[in-house]
Amino acid sequence: MSSLVIRIILLTVVVQIGCVANRVTCSLDGLYEHATALEVGVMMALFAFVPALFAIRVGQWVDRVGPRKPVLCGICIMILAVLFPIVFDVKTYGLWPLYAACMTNGLGFIFVQLTNQQTVGHLSNAKTRTNNFAFLAMGYSTANLTAPVASGYLIDHLGFQSAYYLSLASVVIGLAAFVFFIRSKLPQTLNNAKKREHHSSFDLFRIPHVRNVLIASSFMSMAWDLQSFMIPVYGTEIGLSASQVGWILGVFAMATFFVRLFMPIIARHLSEWQTITAAFGFGTLSYVLFPIFENFYALCVV
């Protein structure tokens, strides 16, 4: 693995810690201020809805201008997102700073995520691509473990503002690391211009295998986002502390880390569709079990 790929993965981890910490803190902050589950659901929907509107355009922009400007733009947008609840306290201004934070946070991160994934693929060859993306995926899991646990403890012991400052510090560190250690080493472009053709994004659905994977991934992503939303709501409802909610979210991320770590072994024994079917099976079982338990340790196991 090249040193540049390692730096990009570490940058992704640092920036995602800020992203996830901000998202978790916004949801808990809203719940602690007596927001309804619907209002918190709208926050989490805004985090995904705005990136969904712009993801294809962002990808096209990355193809056109290369990785440097999109990453810088994305990190700056994420800094703006974190500043909303810091400057405009929820107790004074209500929930609108949280809505604005979730919306801009998701938009900024899609710039960083799409660009870094494309860059890692560009810097890889046939022998290293699988390992590079495996390490990038484990980086996501590491951030998803670290961010909610750290945010939960900060909220319990120092208050919500301290958790927002954690998000801000993480994203600012990512900005400094990108500007001073990564930006100048990135390639100018990621695609061969003479091979560039214009197609509709819906052309992907004309490829049967790709269409089937996209449909399956969409349902799995819905389930993933549902638990990210419901765990804070359910945990707060049954009286769990912020750190306990953070640990449940963190244990989920820890499990994804080990699944990604052992995926090469799993792939040798199961086909792609057997793996996807098993994932849906385990997901279904977990959703059946979640509302049965109110004990923190049992919920961690589920």
Side-chain angles (χ1 to χ4, degrees):
M1 186 184 300
S2 70
S3 63
L4 182 55
V5 171
I6 293 173
R7 293 182 189 188
I8 292 171
I9 292 174
L10 291 175
L11 172 67
T12 305
V13 171
V14 171
V15 172
Q16 186 168 356
I17 287 174
C19 171
V20 175
N22 191 44
R23 183 179 62 181
V24 172
T25 306
C26 283
S27 64
L28 289 173
D29 199 2
L31 290 166
Y32 277 49
E33 292 300 318
H34 308 293
T36 65
L38 174 61
E39 288 170 326
V40 177
V42 170
M43 289 180 205
M44 299 300 101
L46 286 172
F47 179 85
F49 177 69
V50 176
L53 292 178
F54 290 95
I56 294 172
R57 295 298 181 188
V58 171
Q60 292 170 340
W61 189 44
V62 174
D63 287 341
R64 189 168 62 252
V65 304
R68 299 180 183 183
K69 289 181 181 179
V71 174
L72 183 62
C73 179
I75 295 176
C76 290
I77 292 174
M78 292 180 69
I79 291 175
L80 175 64
V82 178
L83 287 174
F84 275 117
I86 291 177
V87 176
F88 303 102
D89 187 80
V90 177
K91 287 182 172 59
T92 304
Y93 294 94
L95 297 178
W96 78 260
L98 304 184
Y99 291 128
C102 289
M103 183 171 61
T104 50
N105 188 18
L107 178 62
F109 186 67
I110 201 68
F111 278 84
V112 179
Q113 183 183 39
L114 280 179
T115 308
N116 285 355
Q117 287 177 348
Q118 181 80 344
T119 306
V120 168
H122 178 81
L123 296 173
S124 305
N125 55 42
K127 292 182 179 180
T128 62
R129 185 169 289 112
T130 300
N131 282 338
N132 287 349
F133 275 107
F135 278 106
L136 179 62
M138 286 188 282
Y140 288 134
S141 296
T142 301
N144 286 331
L145 166 62
T146 306
V149 173
S151 297
Y153 279 114
L154 286 172
I155 291 168
D156 282 345
H157 297 287
L158 297 174
F160 283 97
Q161 287 294 306
S162 64
Y164 289 126
Y165 279 115
L166 166 67
S167 302
L168 179 61
S170 182
V171 181
V172 169
I173 289 171
L175 176 63
F178 177 73
V179 170
F180 293 110
F181 301 109
I182 299 175
R183 187 183 184 190
S184 62
K185 294 177 172 56
L186 291 175
Q188 292 284 350
T189 59
L190 298 178
N191 291 297
N192 191 336
K194 67 182 180 181
K195 293 184 179 180
R196 185 177 300 161
E197 298 178 12
H198 295 286
H199 297 285
S200 168
S201 302
F202 292 100
D203 288 346
L204 291 172
F205 287 93
R206 298 193 179 101
I207 307 171
H209 292 300
V210 175
R211 180 180 63 244
N212 293 340
V213 169
L214 287 173
I215 292 171
S217 297
S218 297
F219 280 106
M220 185 60 72
S221 295
M222 287 170 60
W224 183 306
D225 287 336
L226 181 63
Q227 65 88 27
S228 298
F229 153 65
M230 278 305 300
I231 287 175
V233 172
Y234 182 59
T236 302
E237 182 180 293
I238 63 177
L240 297 182
S241 67
S243 57
Q244 288 175 319
V245 170
W247 265 114
I248 296 173
L249 292 170
V251 166
F252 173 86
M254 189 186 305
T256 67
F257 179 91
F258 285 107
V259 169
R260 287 161 172 167
L261 181 64
F262 292 107
M263 185 54 70
I265 299 174
I266 296 171
R268 286 200 293 268
H269 294 86
L270 297 175
S271 70
E272 289 89 344
W273 283 106
Q274 285 175 327
T275 305
I276 292 173
T277 303
F280 278 112
F282 282 118
T284 301
L285 177 62
S286 69
Y287 280 121
V288 170
L289 294 176
F290 255 120
I292 297 175
F293 297 100
E294 295 188 2
N295 178 269
F296 164 69
Y297 297 103
L299 290 171
C300 284
V301 172
V302 175

